[in-house]
Amino acid sequence: MANGDITSSQLCGWLKARHLVLIDTLARTRNMRAAAQQMNLTQPALSKMLRDIETMLGFGLFERLPRSMPPTELGEHVAAYARGVLNDTDKFVAQINKLRRGGHGHLKIGAIFAATFHLLPAAIARVKDQRPLLSVEILEQTSDKLLDMLERKEIDIVIGRFREARHRQLFDFTALGPEPFALVGKARHPLARKRARPIPIAELRDWPWVLYPAGTPIRERMDEAFHDAGVEPPANTVETISMPTFLQLLQSGASIAMLPVPMIQAHLDTGRLRILDSDLKVQPLEYGVIHRKDAPLSATARLFVDALIAQGAERHAHA
């Protein structure tokens, strides 16, 4: 194959699962001895297998450096393929075992934090009414990390938003609705007292803030709002993506935060938090359900996507 293009039939004829495991293990460890130990092989046996794979492909997969074996540029592509196939295999085995035990399969869903408070639980309830034995695993993270996992086939569906232009080429996106934000503090925060006019943006900068990390969509919008007003963003800050940490810091001091309304609605209803009337306005962000373009959804995943879309439409109608 070294002197010509590789065909799918040739690849399927000789590439074995253990080859993919070797490529993935070595890409993760970047060390021949560590990879051999994890695969329960001798180093000579692993080295021979790697040479055989590289000979068949016609190019090197890993650099041979004194202390490590990082993937080559082509090796990165092969390692990504190996990881995707192995993730598919893991999901297939888990689903088959679940079905054999009388279940309805397994779904692993990644979601931004705002979606986990109302939209996602309601959609899960809809699907569980039809498939009570379906196993659903929820992973909460920021959109960028979730989309990386979706690209590697580590999760089935994402509820989030695009972070890079290339995501539009890789994934399908169906909008579920806007995510409004509000500036909040604890109920007895000094800024919560009645005022004749909204709090000036310049005054907000003087207070301690709890913020989403730099690079997240809400942080970018908030920084833009400060810059548009000709005011530098706050300097006295704590950064986190943890909702419990947000709440603890807001309740224990004079910190303020800009947070998605769905995440804090219950705390606003009980009076633990108050919306602060200010000139700082952050436009809502739209989020949606995202899945891979190159992998058709399973019947169960399609059922869940439909439930999310229906739930989003109902929320929008009653907003």
Side-chain angles (χ1 to χ4, degrees):
M1 292 185 195
N3 297 321
D5 289 341
I6 302 168
T7 66
S8 293
S9 60
Q10 287 174 320
L11 190 69
C12 293
W14 65 264
L15 189 65
K16 298 179 173 60
R18 60 193 176 93
H19 295 149
L20 299 177
V21 173
L22 183 154
I23 294 166
D24 176 64
T25 305
L26 195 51
R28 286 186 289 102
T29 62
R30 302 191 173 205
N31 182 278
M32 182 71 76
R33 182 168 63 179
Q37 289 176 341
Q38 289 190 22
M39 294 184 65
N40 198 27
L41 293 172
T42 64
Q43 284 185 241
L46 188 145
S47 182
K48 181 182 183 304
M49 192 189 307
L50 178 60
R51 287 196 304 271
D52 290 343
I53 297 170
E54 292 178 325
T55 299
M56 295 298 292
L57 290 174
F59 54 82
L61 295 175
F62 297 89
E63 298 181 43
R64 272 66 167 179
L65 301 180
R67 296 181 180 274
S68 67
M69 293 183 64
T72 63
E73 184 176 355
L74 285 173
E76 291 278 8
H77 289 281
V78 178
Y81 167 76
R83 174 83 322 250
V85 172
L86 294 173
N87 281 333
D88 280 346
T89 302
D90 289 342
K91 288 190 290 186
F92 171 75
V93 171
Q95 289 172 351
I96 288 297
N97 287 333
K98 184 77 174 180
L99 292 169
R100 288 180 62 211
R101 295 193 297 266
H104 293 299
H106 177 89
L107 273 182
K108 189 170 183 179
I109 300 166
I112 58 173
F113 299 98
T116 62
F117 283 82
H118 295 288
L119 188 68
L120 185 57
I124 290 174
R126 282 175 180 254
V127 173
K128 282 286 194 177
D129 283 343
Q130 300 178 55
R131 300 194 178 183
L133 298 183
L134 172 67
S135 174
V136 180
E137 182 179 354
I138 307 298
L139 177 66
E140 295 177 280
Q141 251 305 345
T142 55
S143 290
D144 54 343
K145 292 183 173 60
L146 292 174
L147 292 176
D148 286 344
M149 296 179 69
L150 183 62
E151 187 173 356
R152 296 193 300 266
K153 298 184 178 181
E154 294 174 2
I155 49 182
D156 301 302
I157 301 166
V158 166
I159 308 171
R161 56 180 67 87
F162 288 148
R163 298 294 295 123
E164 300 175 25
R166 69 185 186 90
H167 290 151
R168 300 185 184 279
Q169 306 299 320
L170 296 173
F171 309 124
D172 281 327
F173 176 91
T174 303
L176 295 174
E179 183 183 40
F181 301 106
L183 180 67
V184 296
K186 64 183 179 182
R188 295 187 178 182
H189 195 283
L191 292 177
R193 65 180 183 272
K194 290 185 179 180
R195 290 169 170 254
R197 60 185 183 86
I199 307 161
I201 295 178
E203 184 178 340
L204 293 175
R205 188 185 183 280
D206 297 331
W207 292 87
W209 280 77
V210 191
L211 298 173
Y212 279 92
T216 54
I218 183 173
R219 176 64 176 275
E220 291 174 351
R221 291 260 173 126
M222 200 193 81
D223 286 348
E224 287 174 6
F226 272 98
H227 287 307
D228 290 345
V231 177
E232 283 295 312
N236 181 1
T237 64
V238 174
E239 295 186 1
T240 182
I241 60 172
S242 165
M243 186 58 182
T245 302
F246 267 107
L247 293 174
Q248 283 283 50
L249 291 173
L250 290 174
Q251 292 294 334
S252 61
S255 294
I256 56 178
M258 184 70 71
L259 291 171
V261 174
M263 292 177 64
I264 56 173
Q265 189 61 61
H267 301 283
L268 295 172
D269 293 342
T270 59
R272 292 187 67 201
L273 295 179
R274 288 271 302 277
I275 292 179
L276 306 177
D277 184 19
S278 87
D279 288 330
L280 184 69
K281 306 300 180 185
V282 176
Q283 293 301 310
L285 285 167
E286 188 172 64
Y287 65 93
V289 57
I290 305 170
H291 56 87
R292 296 173 60 95
K293 286 185 176 181
D294 63 357
L297 291 170
S298 67
T300 302
R302 170 50 60 190
L303 180 68
F304 199 88
V305 168
D306 290 344
L308 285 167
I309 294 171
Q311 192 63 34
E314 287 184 13
R315 281 191 62 204
H316 184 68
H318 291 97

